[in-house]
Amino acid sequence: MSNTPQNNRVRGPTSALSSFLREHGIRVENRSRRERREQREREAEGEAEGEAEAEGETGAETDITLQLTETTEETPHRLQETTSLTYTPRRRNNSSDDNDSDGDFVDPAVGSSSKASKQRSLISFCIKCGSRFSRIPNPLESEENQQCPSCLQGCVPKKAKGPAKKRRIGVNGSTLSLSSQQVPSLQDACINIIARHIEDVEALGDISFVSMEKIARIIARNRQLTDQTARLFMSPVLTELVLTDCTNIEQAGLMNIAHFCPRLEKLNLTYCGRMSDAVVALYASHLKKLHSLELSGAHLITEKGWNAFFDITGPQLRTLGIRHSMRFTAQCCNALTTTARQLKHLALSRITTTDASFLQCISTLQPLESLEISWPEKKIPAASFVHLLEHQTSLKKLTLDGCVLVDDTVLQALIPLSQLQTLSLAECDLITSEAIQVYFERAKTVSPGHGLTHLNLSRCLLMEDEALCAIVHHSYKSLTHLELNGLDFLTSYSLEYLAGQPAQDGKQEIVGCKQLAFLDCGFVRAVDDFVISKLIKTCLKLKHIKVWGCYQVRCVCLGVY
């Protein structure tokens, strides 16, 4: 070590702030008491140029002197000017000054070091015309006298020709909603009022079926659907009934559906936990035209009750959906496939007894149009799905969410399904990115770009950029609904690929998914403001974006204030 005066200098204790500023290359100018006294004398005599105004707080506890120093450093490459703001607090008592005290502060945005980063422009609003403009922050300029360059030059702003339609971005939790209509219609406002006074709705007389469906959804959401209020939505001429929350409807109220709606063709009941064998037996005997039945939470129906219902109603069934049921066994599935030979749509979700024998029975059905086998409690091997897809080649919709053993072989078996429009493989984490890429490169479409309309690959953790680019090439003209939740390997390149890329460097232009209306990219770390902004500007039909867990997305960059 060389014996230089700098190395031999003895340094006393330093504060944490001074150490932090020194490590980041920020130089803080410290002056002795004598230099500060001489500086004050020069300012009093009027010899100094660009004097700073001192501001004192009430009580004279702390006297803060704001000094603006301009430092010009010339390097071999360029001449760089930096302006530093130095705050030097002066104590009221006569205690000794500490040159390295925590009071020494340099604004990191406008540092005195030549390596300080460039200032970011701020967005301000003109106090005269109200327009928005960007400016460089100036500490000596009052915030109350901000005017845009046009007003400073005396220019009169031009009036707009007319109010142009603008997509408004609303933030609901972590969902970005883009729509051009924010004010509810008069009809919706009236429906909300009727829903709040549902007990007296009979005094209004006849209400249209469309309005009754909206009222039913509102009161079901508020858990106000009971045996008495449910009768308001029943009519002898009704052919379709949807009740989304039957938690408070007793068994007698469920039986009233068969008594008051004998012409029902479609019936959808959710959370119908009080439905028993007697109820489904009554439906089988009274609802002669019923061909679509969807039940969720009917866990009291036994195996005997299901078999009796399928024996009577099975031949006329076209659509069947059963969710959250513990007593729907393989024997019930066998009775279904034996009697319902004209079945076109089948959905079995969260059935605790679902296993490979279910798939064996379903494979004997006539070609289905839609099939859902999701969230089974037991692990079904991939070979069973491959065998099923070999017999069901006319599927337009396939949902295999939560089937954890689905792998690349199942995806390869989907290639011959040329009519497939909706595919959901959420949490099938054994599927590799290469298999997804190969599938979308080989899968046939009706015409170029007209492939899938709905695609859900949430939590398929191995998916990478090449697979997403292959999806865009396969379905860029038809894809409207895309879910990519939790895909960590995706980068901003493939996400911006969804919006398309112009032709450059001899590469062909990428049109992008212009029909995209819904995008779930939650917990995808590569999603940032630039990706979202490009999607919003390019995909004009985009209505909803889910960005939960995307920490790089800020609402300010999207124009939400």
Side-chain angles (χ1 to χ4, degrees):
M1 179 181 297
S2 61
N3 296 327
T4 61
Q6 184 176 0
N7 293 330
N8 293 331
R9 182 180 298 174
V10 178
R11 295 183 179 180
T14 60
S15 63
L17 177 59
S18 299
S19 301
F20 173 80
L21 296 176
R22 187 183 302 110
E23 291 175 359
H24 288 74
I26 301 176
R27 180 175 59 83
V28 181
E29 182 180 359
N30 295 322
R31 297 177 300 171
S32 63
R33 183 184 303 175
R34 179 180 177 182
E35 293 175 345
R36 292 196 296 269
R37 184 172 61 251
E38 294 176 354
Q39 177 69 18
R40 288 195 298 269
E41 292 175 356
R42 288 194 299 269
E43 291 176 353
E45 296 173 358
E47 298 176 357
E49 296 180 1
E51 59 178 353
E53 297 180 359
E55 298 178 358
E57 295 182 354
T58 305
E61 291 292 339
T62 305
D63 185 13
I64 300 177
T65 303
L66 177 62
Q67 179 186 4
L68 181 64
T69 63
E70 296 185 0
T71 304
T72 304
E73 299 182 2
E74 184 174 2
T75 62
H77 299 285
R78 66 177 183 272
L79 184 66
Q80 181 178 4
E81 295 184 4
T82 60
T83 303
S84 63
L85 292 177
T86 305
Y87 294 87
T88 307
R90 185 175 59 197
R91 293 180 177 82
R92 187 176 182 180
N93 54 18
N94 296 326
S95 60
S96 61
D97 294 337
D98 184 5
N99 290 336
D100 293 325
S101 64
D102 287 341
D104 300 331
F105 174 75
V106 174
D107 190 357
V110 195
S112 60
S113 172
S114 61
K115 297 181 180 180
S117 59
K118 296 182 179 179
Q119 301 181 20
R120 285 184 174 270
S121 60
L122 299 179
I123 301 299
S124 301
F125 292 88
C126 180
I127 61 173
K128 188 173 182 180
C129 65
S131 61
R132 186 174 64 175
F133 66 99
S134 61
R135 65 180 181 86
I136 301 298
N138 189 350
L140 299 181
E141 184 179 356
S142 175
E143 295 290 340
E144 299 179 356
N145 297 324
Q146 302 292 345
Q147 294 186 15
C148 63
S150 300
C151 293
L152 290 175
Q153 296 175 3
C155 300
V156 180
K158 297 180 180 180
K159 295 183 179 180
K161 296 181 179 180
K165 291 185 178 180
K166 180 180 179 181
R167 292 196 302 169
R168 184 173 180 83
I169 306 174
V171 180
N172 182 11
S174 60
T175 303
L176 305 179
S177 300
L178 296 85
S179 61
S180 58
Q181 181 180 0
Q182 297 295 324
V183 180
S185 63
L186 179 61
Q187 182 184 17
D188 293 337
C190 295
I191 289 174
N192 291 330
I193 295 175
I194 294 173
R196 288 196 297 267
H197 304 279
I198 189 63
E199 299 294 340
D200 303 326
V201 72
E202 291 183 351
L204 296 177
D206 295 334
I207 302 177
S208 65
F209 291 112
V210 177
S211 299
M212 292 296 286
E213 290 180 2
K214 294 182 179 180
I215 296 173
R217 288 195 297 267
I218 294 174
I219 68 172
R221 185 169 59 247
N222 297 329
R223 290 290 174 90
Q224 296 180 354
L225 196 61
T226 61
D227 292 349
Q228 291 73 27
T229 57
R231 292 184 59 180
L232 302 174
F233 308 105
M234 301 177 190
S235 172
V237 298
L238 201 64
T239 59
E240 181 177 357
L241 179 62
V242 179
L243 300 178
T244 56
D245 194 337
C246 304
T247 304
N248 297 325
I249 299 181
E250 302 291 338
Q251 179 175 335
L254 295 173
M255 287 184 173
N256 286 336
I257 296 176
H259 293 303
F260 291 99
C261 307
R263 298 183 181 180
L264 272 183
E265 299 178 2
K266 298 180 181 180
L267 178 61
N268 188 338
L269 303 177
T270 306
Y271 301 146
C272 51
R274 292 181 172 86
M275 181 173 290
S276 61
D277 293 351
V279 177
V280 293
L282 186 64
Y283 289 171
S285 59
H286 284 66
L287 304 179
K288 300 296 184 179
K289 298 182 178 181
L290 185 66
H291 62 79
S292 176
L293 178 64
E294 297 185 35
L295 302 177
S296 177
H299 54 270
L300 294 181
I301 305 176
T302 62
E303 180 180 300
K304 181 179 179 180
W306 283 119
N307 292 338
F309 176 76
F310 291 142
D311 289 340
I312 301 175
T313 314
Q316 66 190 41
L317 281 179
R318 303 291 186 275
T319 301
L320 178 65
I322 302 175
R323 296 175 175 83
H324 298 278
S325 180
M326 304 188 320
R327 300 184 180 183
F328 191 87
T329 62
Q331 185 176 358
C332 300
C333 186
N334 186 30
L336 170 66
T337 56
T338 302
T339 57
R341 305 306 300 178
Q342 300 182 8
L343 196 66
K344 294 298 181 182
H345 308 277
L346 177 61
L348 301 176
S349 178
R350 300 187 185 276
I351 307 296
T352 57
T353 57
T354 304
D355 54 13
S357 60
F358 276 66
L359 275 64
Q360 183 67 30
C361 296
I362 296 173
S363 62
T364 61
L365 286 171
Q366 297 294 328
L368 298 173
E369 294 183 5
S370 66
L371 174 63
E372 177 181 354
I373 306 291
S374 61
W375 311 108
E377 185 172 332
K378 300 179 180 180
K379 295 182 179 181
I380 305 176
S384 300
F385 289 103
V386 173
H387 178 266
L388 172 64
L389 294 175
E390 291 176 352
H391 293 79
Q392 299 292 337
T393 57
S394 300
L395 287 175
K396 296 181 179 179
K397 178 181 179 181
L398 177 63
T399 303
L400 301 178
D401 295 344
C403 299
V404 295
L405 296 184
V406 170
D407 55 10
D408 297 349
T409 58
V410 178
L411 205 58
Q412 186 177 2
L414 293 175
I415 295 178
L417 276 62
S418 59
Q419 301 181 23
L420 193 63
Q421 298 178 358
T422 301
L423 178 62
S424 183
L425 300 173
E427 294 201 20
C428 298
D429 51 3
L430 294 182
I431 299 178
T432 62
S433 180
E434 292 77 8
I436 298 175
Q437 180 181 357
V438 170
Y439 167 72
F440 283 99
E441 289 177 350
R442 297 182 180 179
K444 298 180 180 180
T445 59
V446 179
S447 60
H450 290 85
L452 299 180
T453 59
H454 292 69
L455 178 61
N456 184 2
L457 295 176
S458 299
R459 306 296 298 171
C460 294
L461 303 178
L462 301 179
M463 182 174 168
E464 298 178 355
D465 289 341
E466 293 78 8
L468 184 55
C469 294
I471 293 172
V472 175
H473 285 288
H474 179 268
S475 308
Y476 66 92
K477 290 184 179 180
S478 59
L479 191 62
T480 61
H481 187 106
L482 180 61
E483 298 185 41
L484 304 172
N485 190 287
L487 304 185
D488 260 354
F489 291 156
L490 294 181
T491 65
S492 58
Y493 170 78
S494 60
L495 294 169
E496 293 181 4
Y497 206 81
L498 289 170
Q501 293 181 357
Q504 56 182 357
D505 298 335
K507 295 182 179 180
Q508 187 178 2
E509 179 185 3
I510 306 301
V511 179
C513 300
K514 305 299 183 181
Q515 303 298 322
L516 193 64
F518 177 88
L519 176 63
D520 182 3
C521 52
F523 292 99
V524 180
R525 299 182 182 182
V527 176
D528 55 12
D529 296 330
F530 300 101
V531 173
I532 299 298
S533 300
K534 188 174 181 179
L535 288 172
I536 292 175
K537 293 178 181 178
T538 308
C539 304
L540 300 180
K541 295 187 177 181
L542 195 59
K543 299 298 181 183
H544 299 282
I545 308 176
K546 290 189 175 183
V547 291
W548 179 267
C550 301
Y551 63 95
Q552 296 190 76
V553 176
R554 296 170 296 177
C555 296
V556 176
C557 296
L558 297 175
V560 181
Y561 300 99

